[in-house]
Amino acid sequence: MAIKHFLQFSDFSRTEFEYVMQRARIIKQRFKAYQTYHPLVDRTLVMVFEKNSTRTRLSFEAGMHQLGGAAIYLNTRDSQLGRGEPVEDAGQVISRMCDIIMIRTFEQSMIERFAEYSRVPVINGLTNQHHPCQVLADVFTYIEHRGDISGKKVAWIGDANNMLYSWLQAAKVFGFHLHVSTPKGYEMDMSLVDADNQHFTLFDDPSEACAGVDLVNTDVWTSMGYEAENQARLKAFDGWIVDEAKMARANADALFMHCLPAHRGEEVSAGVIDGPQSVVWDEAENRLHVQKALLEYLVIGKVSN
């Protein structure tokens, strides 16, 4: 199979996503049944981190081990990338010593330049512009709980960040509609949205954005790299908390998601994130299972069983 990267959600077709999710269900079932499954024996994943991580590192590292392979952690602070080695050179060298690479960094351009010179698949573990692995886990989690997401309505309440841009691409791929409500001054960058993407509606009122939706989603108001803006953001985002009143505007069987870590009392109330509609812990766990399916697909292609 030709080298295929997963740098943003739109890199895969719906058919490919459906295959990966089918594999994720099988791999998850095997994991829950303590069945050994090692399709990636003697294969190596290199994980390059410029941003801090809990779920991304744990899910990729544990996942690669559970598939029978090995995972190597590199941090830009203590590697040559942190001392000015060109990204293009690092891509050529690192990709000659492993089978697949995951990068968690700031700029999307960095991971794209790396992938251009890589001889193996590259996965976006997070950039400032996109977070495709998280949204893959989120869509998988919705389907687990409620079935097909096509034709559904999803509310995004909060910052126009990497999660939102991946959700916008997912809406186009899967055919659902996104209700987007961001505070003034923190609106979407339309240069990051496909011109033909008609799968979203903008709302000034976050409560109105939640009306009649099947899923309510949010994230921290201050993402990594924007800490200096924290006080200004807290003021600007006043009223954008996902609380019980906003969830009451959603459909009765609506789910709540958050990619974590969460700040209870800021972007979400404790009653919502710890309440019966919340699936945040399933969502977090599913990073492990969908990423194992993603690793399997990118390294060895489709399998019959």
Side-chain angles (χ1 to χ4, degrees):
M1 187 175 69
I3 294 174
K4 186 172 184 64
H5 305 298
F6 189 54
L7 307 185
Q8 52 185 299
F9 203 90
S10 60
D11 285 343
F12 278 24
S13 66
R14 179 164 182 170
T15 299
E16 287 178 301
F17 279 121
E18 287 174 347
Y19 168 78
V20 169
M21 290 187 184
Q22 177 190 28
R23 292 298 305 158
R25 284 191 290 272
I26 293 170
I27 289 170
K28 182 175 182 177
Q29 289 167 0
R30 286 174 167 167
F31 176 79
K32 296 294 186 180
Y34 296 95
Q35 295 176 3
T36 300
Y37 180 58
H38 287 166
L40 300 186
V41 170
D42 291 333
R43 304 299 182 99
T44 303
L45 164 70
V46 169
M47 306 181 299
V48 181
F49 285 88
E50 191 173 17
K51 280 190 171 186
N52 295 336
S53 172
T54 299
R55 280 152 290 277
T56 297
R57 179 177 178 181
L58 181 59
S59 56
F60 271 107
E61 190 164 344
M64 194 64 181
H65 283 295
Q66 290 167 17
L67 293 175
I72 297 173
Y73 172 86
L74 291 180
N75 193 294
T76 56
R77 291 190 301 271
D78 46 40
S79 68
Q80 295 299 336
L81 273 169
R83 299 181 66 245
E85 181 174 19
V87 169
E88 295 81 359
D89 293 358
Q92 293 196 66
V93 172
I94 294 172
S95 66
R96 286 172 177 257
M97 299 184 185
C98 66
D99 301 282
I100 189 165
I101 298 164
M102 185 280 298
I103 301 177
R104 182 177 171 94
T105 187
F106 289 92
E107 292 304 319
Q108 183 75 12
S109 60
M110 182 275 198
I111 197 170
E112 290 174 352
R113 288 161 55 205
F114 191 105
E116 183 180 354
Y117 286 84
S118 175
R119 295 162 57 134
V120 301
V122 177
I123 297 172
N124 181 353
L126 176 144
T127 63
N128 286 350
Q129 290 76 39
H130 298 284
H131 199 356
C133 290
Q134 180 65 59
V135 174
L136 175 58
D138 294 353
V139 173
F140 179 81
T141 303
Y142 183 88
I143 293 171
E144 269 195 326
H145 283 267
R146 295 290 186 263
D148 191 6
I149 196 170
S150 300
K152 302 298 184 181
K153 293 180 180 178
V154 177
W156 177 266
I157 309 299
D159 194 15
N161 63 7
N162 49 12
M163 284 291 296
L164 172 56
Y165 296 117
S166 288
W167 269 109
L168 286 163
Q169 292 186 352
K172 184 178 176 182
V173 171
F174 284 94
F176 59 86
H177 200 82
L178 203 62
H179 290 190
V180 179
S181 183
T182 59
K184 285 183 170 54
Y186 298 89
E187 296 92 348
M188 288 162 34
D189 178 354
M190 296 308 295
S191 70
L192 297 176
V193 183
D194 290 342
D196 63 345
N197 190 340
Q198 303 298 314
H199 293 267
F200 67 93
T201 302
L202 302 179
F203 290 80
D204 293 329
D205 184 344
S207 182
E208 288 298 319
C210 294
V213 302
D214 304 287
L215 170 62
V216 179
N217 210 321
T218 192
D219 193 4
V220 294
W221 292 340
T222 306
S223 298
M224 284 180 286
Y226 300 93
E227 288 82 2
E229 303 176 9
N230 188 54
Q231 290 306 311
R233 283 172 173 264
L234 289 177
K235 183 177 180 180
F237 283 71
D238 184 35
W240 263 260
I241 183 173
V242 176
D243 53 16
E244 289 83 347
K246 290 186 181 66
M247 289 301 299
R249 298 293 305 278
N251 291 335
D253 63 346
L255 300 177
F256 171 77
M257 291 189 186
H258 190 307
C259 63
L260 304 177
H263 298 154
R264 289 166 174 80
E266 289 186 13
E267 75 274 5
V268 61
S269 69
V272 169
I273 194 171
D274 297 321
Q277 292 172 281
S278 174
V279 291
V280 298
W281 314 121
D282 293 340
E283 179 188 2
E285 179 192 339
N286 281 335
R287 285 286 301 275
L288 172 69
H289 306 303
V290 299
Q291 286 166 192
K292 284 197 287 187
L294 181 64
L295 288 165
E296 179 191 65
Y297 175 61
L298 291 176
V299 174
I300 62 176
K302 289 187 176 181
V303 298
S304 59
N305 185 2

